[in-house]
Amino acid sequence: MHPSPPLPETLTAWLESLPEPHILFDRHYRILAANAAYLRQYGQGRPVLGRTCHEVSHHSSVPCDQAGESCPLARALQSRQRERVLHLHHTRCGEDYVQIELLPLRGPGGQLQYFLEKMEPQPSASGAAAGAQGMIGRSPAFQAVRELIARVGPSQASVLLLGESGTGKELAARAVHEASSRAARALVVVDCASLPETLFESELFGHEKGAFTGAHAARAGLVEAAHGGTLFLDEVGDIPLSMQVKLLRLLEGGTYRRVGQTELRRADIRLVAATHRDLRAMVREGRFRQDLYYRLSTFPIQLPALRERAQDIPLLAESLLQRVAPGRRLTLSPAALRCLVQHPFPGNVRELRNVLERAALLTDGDTLTGPAVARALSFDQGARAPEAPGGTAPGADLRSLEAAALRSALQTPGRTRRELAQALGISPRTLYRKLRALQL
């Protein structure tokens, strides 16, 4: 491999002037130049020049496309144009999602010779649980959603978030807002399902004094509060038909009227909507306006159910435990994790949080055990427990999970029954009773 010629001083000076982390590398992934922002984020006290980009950013000995991710260099060689991808990078703050923008540069002979890469952090997403408050995950389904958010966030396009209840639609809406140029302004959440039809218009658009009984003073609406920022309509499928035409006028013309006022007002808003309903079916049934549906769904994003990203459960559980029991350093035993991963979670992340909070309340020690998690899952009589081969009843399946967890714990050598009970977060008497009941 021939050494690369020295770079012009003007190029290195220009790189240093850029606030975001930037690197320049060749077709062999070797970093030829890196600005100070990149060194602060990725250097970690080690030199980066001459090393490969995947070694520094991913701690990987092979390029991204050989490690299960999309490689922007490989894509640029094929498309011969600018490429953007979302990657999980090792930064000084740990593993975080980063938006990569790669620009191929041509050499004297017109061939693609150098590649300029810009890295923008995604503050509302994390690939680790510690301290994370936004979207968390590493699964392919999660990364696909994050890439769509990274692409649509900087635009002004309306976004429609689709998915079951509890999949994190409000977190996704916040991620879209934070990826936009409106991030410094307000994100105003409107819970459409909780607003009665009689109050919907005044809550959304505001009202003038005396507009209706009880309107003792003029009041600004939520649209006005979102001016310059983002308006998030949660459960948009519950908006009354009578209000849908007024919402359409707002989205198409940016104008609205307060209740009791004839003067048109203008609102500069970016709209994000969410629903767990099938809006297309509602359109066919005449319960949702077709023109409003197409205005809302400029850029639809389907959020995966938790069962479709089960590999994210350990990360989510670690983060949720910090929230439901902030004063305790709780961990999950391997049996408890297996119990969680095997559960279908029809209530998605919201149900996972409930289960973990119950299990924490049922545990006196620092470790959530398989029996504690199985008991927490059994509280939801309406939720489907993991089905055992041959159609075992849910209660029997939970007992088998508990028995398996106890058998696993009993195999630990050199541990007394009292120590075992303490590790399981139960009293010795409870342990003896469970062992007798399970004939262990």
Side-chain angles (χ1 to χ4, degrees):
M1 188 180 297
H2 298 291
S4 300
L7 298 174
E9 291 184 4
T10 52
L11 177 59
T12 56
W14 175 71
L15 279 177
E16 283 300 336
S17 71
L18 301 173
E20 304 91 354
H22 278 75
I23 56 173
L24 185 76
F25 56 96
D26 61 19
R27 295 171 67 102
H28 304 288
Y29 308 95
R30 289 183 305 173
I31 299 175
L32 307 176
N35 66 359
Y38 182 88
L39 294 176
R40 283 195 301 270
Q41 194 76 336
Y42 297 97
Q44 300 178 15
R46 297 182 59 191
V48 301
L49 298 186
R51 296 167 64 194
T52 61
C53 57
H54 51 80
E55 178 191 356
V56 176
S57 301
H58 293 274
H59 297 181
S60 171
S61 59
V62 296
C64 307
D65 54 349
Q66 297 178 34
E69 285 194 288
S70 177
C71 176
L73 185 147
R75 287 171 53 164
L77 286 173
Q78 186 173 13
S79 69
R80 308 185 72 78
Q81 62 184 6
R82 186 189 306 263
E83 292 289 345
R84 283 198 299 162
V85 298
L86 188 76
H87 275 184
L88 192 59
H89 274 186
H90 288 271
T91 71
R92 63 178 180 176
C93 302
E95 282 190 294
D96 281 316
Y97 281 98
V98 176
Q99 177 74 36
I100 305 294
E101 184 172 346
L102 182 139
L103 178 66
L105 305 175
R106 299 181 187 276
Q111 297 296 316
L112 298 184
Q113 185 174 0
Y114 300 115
F115 301 86
L116 181 67
E117 193 169 85
K118 169 186 171 184
M119 279 137 279
E120 288 186 279
Q122 302 293 296
S124 57
S126 176
Q133 295 295 319
M135 302 177 72
I136 301 171
R138 300 172 61 98
S139 65
F142 176 86
Q143 293 195 41
V145 167
R146 279 303 318 177
E147 184 163 8
L148 291 175
I149 290 174
R151 284 188 173 276
V152 75
S155 75
Q156 297 299 319
S158 297
V159 177
L160 179 61
L161 301 170
L162 304 166
E164 299 175 6
S165 293
T167 49
K169 293 188 284 292
E170 186 169 343
L171 284 177
R174 188 167 299 278
V176 172
H177 173 68
E178 291 179 356
S180 73
S181 58
R182 300 171 179 266
R185 305 299 293 270
L187 169 67
V188 177
V189 180
V190 183
D191 185 359
C192 302
S194 67
L195 288 177
E197 185 171 354
T198 53
L199 294 177
F200 198 100
E201 186 175 6
S202 65
E203 285 292 320
L204 201 60
F205 299 130
H207 60 259
E208 290 296 297
K209 181 180 179 181
F212 50 84
T213 303
H216 302 300
R219 181 185 174 190
L222 296 172
V223 168
E224 201 164 335
H227 183 76
T230 302
L231 184 70
F232 174 45
L233 299 178
D234 197 12
E235 294 304 343
V236 71
D238 292 336
I239 293 180
L241 267 172
S242 60
M243 279 300 304
Q244 291 179 19
V245 65
K246 296 180 180 180
L247 178 60
L248 182 64
R249 184 186 304 124
L250 170 69
L251 299 182
E252 291 190 334
T255 60
Y256 68 99
R257 288 186 177 91
R258 284 185 178 180
V259 177
Q261 186 183 52
T262 57
E263 177 189 351
L264 276 177
R265 291 175 174 264
R266 290 201 165 271
D268 171 26
I269 59 169
R270 197 266 183 88
L271 185 86
V272 179
T275 183
H276 72 282
R277 299 185 184 279
D278 185 346
L279 292 187
R280 286 177 294 186
M282 293 177 68
V283 168
R284 290 193 297 270
E285 296 163 4
R287 295 186 293 128
F288 201 86
R289 293 180 62 98
Q290 185 178 50
D291 46 8
L292 178 58
Y293 167 73
Y294 286 116
R295 186 63 184 81
L296 292 173
S297 62
T298 303
F299 199 90
I301 299 177
Q302 181 74 41
L303 297 183
L306 186 55
R307 61 184 172 275
E308 296 167 359
R309 47 181 291 226
Q311 71 186 80
D312 290 334
I313 287 178
L315 277 175
L316 288 165
E318 183 182 343
S319 175
L320 291 170
L321 279 175
Q322 295 176 20
R323 302 181 205 180
V324 302
R328 303 166 66 185
R329 293 190 175 183
L330 294 175
T331 59
L332 285 155
S333 71
L337 271 178
R338 285 195 298 272
C339 195
L340 290 174
V341 171
Q342 291 170 4
H343 186 69
F345 284 106
N348 294 296
V349 180
R350 191 176 293 124
E351 181 187 357
L352 174 61
R353 180 189 175 113
N354 289 347
V355 168
L356 290 170
E357 188 163 7
R358 288 179 207 143
L361 292 171
L362 294 168
T363 300
D364 296 321
D366 296 329
T367 303
L368 271 59
T369 64
V373 169
R375 187 179 175 194
L377 284 167
S378 70
F379 281 36
D380 284 321
Q381 298 299 326
R384 292 183 296 113
E387 291 186 5
T392 307
D397 190 58
L398 289 171
R399 285 194 296 272
S400 67
L401 284 171
E402 185 176 27
L406 284 171
R407 286 193 188 94
S408 176
L410 285 170
Q411 291 172 0
T412 304
R415 177 181 279 179
T416 67
R417 294 296 169 90
R418 181 173 294 277
E419 290 170 339
L420 176 59
Q422 186 176 4
L424 292 172
I426 57 179
S427 68
R429 182 175 297 178
T430 302
L431 174 63
Y432 287 126
R433 188 173 64 251
K434 288 182 178 293
L435 293 176
R436 281 199 305 270
L438 295 168
Q439 297 182 352
L440 296 177

